[in-house]
Amino acid sequence: MTMQIKPDFDSSFAALAMAAETAPSEGFLYGIWQRAGQLQERANRRQRLALFCGLFVIGLGAGFGTNGTGVVANPASLQISSADRLSPSALLHVAP
């Protein structure tokens, strides 16, 4: 017959209690807040980049969508007070 060795839980619990009672180092909490700040900065940077990309795409699409529609929608009339006669190219006598 073999004899079973029973573990001593009291000494294990005492060692764990001693480890839990030790205070963290001086810069531990500072390091945690610093890391939280870094994570927040990254999130803000990603959000700004996403907003910039969205506005860029919307602006580019709006620019392509409206290119030349004013000329097609409002053909120049042959009136004396036409706005085309007051355009910079007409005043400089440059042909378009």
Side-chain angles (χ1 to χ4, degrees):
M1 251 184 154
T2 60
M3 201 167 177
Q4 292 182 346
I5 301 174
K6 295 183 179 180
D8 185 20
F9 290 117
D10 291 332
S11 62
S12 299
F13 289 144
L16 287 173
M18 292 279 290
E21 288 176 3
T22 58
S25 64
E26 291 275 331
F28 180 72
L29 290 177
Y30 176 75
I32 289 175
W33 286 113
Q34 183 179 14
R35 182 66 179 151
Q38 290 171 349
L39 292 174
Q40 185 66 35
E41 287 175 6
R42 280 189 197 162
N44 289 342
R45 194 177 311 130
R46 279 192 305 261
Q47 184 180 15
R48 282 192 307 267
L49 181 63
L51 288 173
F52 171 76
C53 289
L55 287 174
F56 181 76
V57 167
I58 289 170
L60 200 60
F64 279 129
T66 60
N67 189 13
T69 56
V71 174
V72 175
N74 299 322
S77 63
L78 298 175
Q79 296 177 357
I80 295 175
S81 64
S82 175
D84 291 339
R85 295 180 59 129
L86 300 176
S87 69
S89 63
L91 294 174
L92 294 174
H93 306 289
V94 176

